[in-house]
Amino acid sequence: MTVSTHLQTKTIENFIDGKFCPSSTNQTFADINPANGETIAQVASGNSTDIDAAVSAAKHAFDKGPWSTWSIKQRAQVLRKIGDLILENKELLAKAETIDTGKPISESLNGDIPRAAYNFHFFADYANSLQEECYTVDKNERHIGVYEPLGVCGLITPWNLPLYLATWKIAPCLVMGNTCVLKPAEWTPYTAYLFAHIIKEAELPDGVFNIVQGFGPNSAGEALTRHADVASISFTGETSTGKAIMTAAASTLKKLSFELGGKGANIIFDDADLDEAIPVAVNAAFRNQGQICLAGSRLFVQEKVYNKVVEAILDKVKHIAVGDPLDPKTQMGAIISNEQLEKIQSYIEHGKKEGKLQIGGTRLKEYPKGNFLTPAVFTDLANSSRLCQEEIFGPVLPIVPFKDEAEVIEMTNSTKYGLSSSIWSQDINRCHRVSQAIKTGIVWINCWFARDLRTPFGGQKQSGIGREGGKHSLEFFSEQKTICYRYKNK
Ligand code: NAI
Ligand code: MG
């Protein structure tokens, strides 16, 4: 197996021009398992010299081909092989993802890693059906819109869904004929490193895919965004980081795609099927320890059913199994870092002053070296409170009552974010009305987290710029050119 020999690795290196290498300064940092505080490996601390080397390899690979000159069909065959190899190594990749992030193994195994494989299979198929536009003015004149690759693309990814989100960018980037440099999150370098071994086995030409590990500001991430030979940055992460990247990318006028933070509203009307809505509301708030941009991190419940829903939620939350991420029965694992844990705890302390902590919010005594926190539910908080307005990115759920449609629409739209929301009601007309009035990129009706990869994915307001998914990703990773043909009619 490709990956198994590397699972015991003690060093996670950069991957440049088809070779694994340390950083130019030989500096490293520790990758920590958040469940027990142990060091998984030492990671190459990439810097601007490493970015220069990776971009230069990617540029060379792009300029000399053959990757950039192959047909989509030829490239799609390599993508399919990469997807297959991810599936072949599913258990090992899932274990690595869980050790690195602290997420439950059931999620890595059934969610993150299969989706990473599917990202390649999906874009292999989808790109093959990409249609060019052609307008025939008269029989002598045709205008054709063609897709061409951009060149070297920079991909910068977060720690909450490491391989899932990296491959969501890598697959469309590569299938359109680009080459790229990936800068994974410093907290989760592991599966990207293992993935590079898969890339080698799939025989992607050297230099087409490169990784520089390391940090963001004044380091590898920033160097990538400033590099003159990088045509675009596709970034997923915090809204504040998106703003820094936009500033840094301005001098070279890069194409930008931003998937940023969220403060998803989950809205339960009094005519909802509560047996369906309640378990999903709990999952939406606490899945992946609440570290999902699409989390339903504010629960709005109509007054008539408010007490009943709060009681049922608390009952469910009491039974969530928090603990060892490698135990298949675990439902909530560890928080990514001590830093993030402290940030969440400070929100909990703040919430206790403004509202009522009903349950949770405590560390697990059994794991003194792990970043475990029990799921916290608050009531009696105003929607204007910090816990309802700011992205906590942790297992903290405020439940707030509302009177009517108008009030809940206003409450939902009150944050600076606009990524996702869910509506629970059996009245289809109401669902339709409310979904139109809500300013989020996705509105789920009687569900949460459902996705068809062809649809546009992204945020309104400060949750993002642009859309990923299907043709939206392929267009982002392309130059679209119009070629106008005039024929001589003889
Ligand atoms: P982050 O913004 O701290 O870091 C993300 C990446 O950006 C990392 O690789 C980091 O090293 C890099 N980075 C940081 N500063 C940089 C700079 N100045 N220049 C270039 N690169 C820089 O985000 P984090 O904490 O890793 O992830 C959590 C955030 O991601 C949350 O806000 C969450 O909502 C958001 N997110 C959004 C998603 C979406 O699809 N809208 C999906 C998943 C997460
Ligand atoms: Mg880690």
Side-chain angles (χ1 to χ4, degrees):
M1 297 279 269
T2 332
V3 161
S4 60
T5 49
H6 306 286
L7 196 62
Q8 301 306 324
T9 189
K10 291 287 170 259
T11 49
I12 291 178
E13 298 186 293
N14 293 332
F15 181 66
I16 298 175
D17 207 13
K19 291 176 256 332
F20 292 93
C21 50
S23 92
S24 63
T25 56
N26 273 318
Q27 274 185 328
T28 60
F29 62 95
D31 181 17
I32 306 289
N33 177 341
N36 57 22
E38 286 173 13
T39 298
I40 300 167
Q42 289 297 324
V43 188
S45 188
N47 51 47
S48 60
T49 308
D50 300 314
I51 289 289
D52 285 345
V55 172
S56 154
K59 186 171 181 326
H60 183 70
F62 184 80
D63 291 344
K64 101 171 184 313
W67 184 255
S68 52
T69 58
W70 280 357
S71 66
I72 285 183
K73 201 168 161 195
Q74 281 173 300
R75 291 193 293 258
Q77 276 171 2
V78 182
L79 260 74
R80 259 185 222 106
K81 192 161 168 197
I82 296 172
D84 292 347
L85 286 168
I86 293 175
L87 287 181
E88 268 175 36
N89 290 284
K90 189 171 84 165
E91 275 77 19
L92 297 160
L93 287 166
K95 191 171 173 205
E97 201 71 294
T98 283
I99 292 170
D100 212 7
T101 58
K103 71 173 62 193
I105 188 73
S106 59
E107 263 178 55
S108 305
L109 204 51
N110 304 316
D112 293 56
I113 306 303
R115 170 61 190 272
Y118 185 56
N119 287 337
F120 282 95
H121 291 146
F122 168 78
F123 277 111
D125 291 341
Y126 192 86
N128 262 324
S129 65
L130 185 66
Q131 291 183 352
E132 290 178 346
E133 295 166 89
C134 176
Y135 303 99
T136 305
V137 174
D138 62 40
K139 66 179 189 305
N140 296 330
E141 189 176 318
R142 294 218 164 90
H143 297 245
I144 304 177
V146 300
Y147 293 90
E148 294 183 349
L150 285 170
V152 180
C153 301
L155 315 176
I156 303 179
T157 49
W159 47 259
N160 61 331
L161 300 158
L163 195 63
Y164 175 138
L165 288 176
T167 52
W168 178 231
K169 300 184 189 301
I170 298 165
C173 172
L174 293 185
V175 83
M176 295 314 281
N178 303 288
T179 61
C180 66
V181 178
L182 169 70
K183 209 300 280 167
E186 55 272 35
W187 300 104
T188 52
Y190 203 177
T191 47
Y193 168 75
L194 298 175
F195 175 75
H197 294 84
I198 285 177
I199 284 283
K200 274 205 89 69
E201 188 164 335
E203 293 176 354
L204 194 76
D206 288 350
V208 171
F209 172 77
N210 306 274
I211 303 176
V212 177
Q213 302 281 3
F215 297 83
N218 306 310
S219 186
E222 188 175 332
L224 188 60
T225 54
R226 289 194 185 279
H227 204 293
D229 288 334
V230 173
S232 66
I233 296 287
S234 176
F235 168 72
T236 300
E238 283 186 34
T239 295
S240 57
T241 310
K243 292 177 186 176
I245 290 178
M246 201 167 192
T247 307
S251 64
T252 49
L253 211 68
K254 287 181 176 35
K255 197 171 181 183
L256 299 173
S257 161
F258 286 167
E259 300 293 348
L260 308 175
K263 190 72 188 176
N266 204 352
I267 304 166
I268 301 184
F269 283 99
D270 58 17
D271 65 341
D273 181 337
L274 296 182
D275 291 339
E276 278 190 12
I278 288 165
V280 178
V282 172
N283 189 29
F286 300 118
R287 186 168 172 171
N288 206 31
Q289 300 71 250
Q291 303 167 143
I292 299 186
C293 54
L294 303 168
S297 52
R298 295 181 291 166
L299 180 58
F300 296 144
V301 185
Q302 202 160 12
E303 281 169 350
K304 201 165 131 204
V305 292
Y306 178 80
N307 288 338
K308 191 175 168 188
V309 170
V310 170
E311 208 177 299
I313 295 265
L314 293 176
D315 189 53
K316 290 227 171 297
V317 168
K318 223 170 26 204
H319 295 104
I320 291 177
V322 188
D324 180 4
L326 287 169
D327 182 339
K329 291 195 287 297
T330 292
Q331 292 168 302
M332 258 181 63
I335 305 295
I336 188 70
S337 63
N338 201 41
E339 217 170 74
Q340 181 69 7
L341 181 85
E342 282 173 6
K343 181 181 146 197
I344 300 166
Q345 284 178 311
S346 81
Y347 274 106
I348 292 172
E349 288 313 308
H350 188 81
K352 282 186 199 166
K353 290 185 207 132
E354 293 192 335
K356 188 163 177 209
L357 175 63
Q358 293 284 356
I359 194 169
T362 52
R363 295 193 67 163
L364 288 189
K365 290 192 190 68
E366 308 90 283
Y367 298 93
K369 292 187 177 151
N371 306 328
F372 292 92
L373 201 56
T374 56
V377 177
F378 278 90
T379 58
D380 301 81
L381 280 170
N383 184 49
S384 55
S385 66
R386 281 184 57 201
L387 271 72
C388 290
Q389 292 293 314
E390 297 174 17
E391 185 184 48
I392 302 171
F393 224 56
V396 180
L397 177 67
I399 313 182
V400 184
F402 68 90
K403 259 198 305 296
D404 54 23
E405 260 177 62
E407 187 184 31
V408 82
I409 289 167
E410 207 272 320
M411 285 159 71
T412 301
N413 289 340
S414 69
T415 73
K416 68 178 183 186
Y417 297 108
L419 190 56
S420 64
S421 53
S422 284
I423 304 167
W424 296 87
S425 163
Q426 299 193 65
D427 177 347
I428 190 165
N429 296 319
R430 163 184 277 166
C431 290
H432 180 65
R433 274 194 307 273
V434 178
S435 68
Q436 287 187 306
I438 284 177
K439 298 207 179 329
T440 58
I442 306 172
V443 181
W444 283 294
I445 295 174
N446 294 324
C447 59
W448 174 74
F449 216 59
R451 276 284 289 139
D452 181 304
L453 299 193
R454 291 168 295 191
T455 56
F457 176 91
Q460 299 190 13
K461 299 178 351 191
Q462 294 196 26
S463 285
I465 296 179
R467 295 292 181 267
E468 294 184 310
K471 71 171 181 188
H472 312 282
S473 292
L474 299 186
E475 283 176 0
F476 176 75
F477 286 112
S478 307
E479 279 298 357
Q480 283 163 274
K481 181 190 276 177
T482 298
I483 302 180
C484 173
Y485 289 85
R486 194 146 176 87
Y487 312 95
K488 285 207 169 89
N489 196 16
K490 57 179 179 186

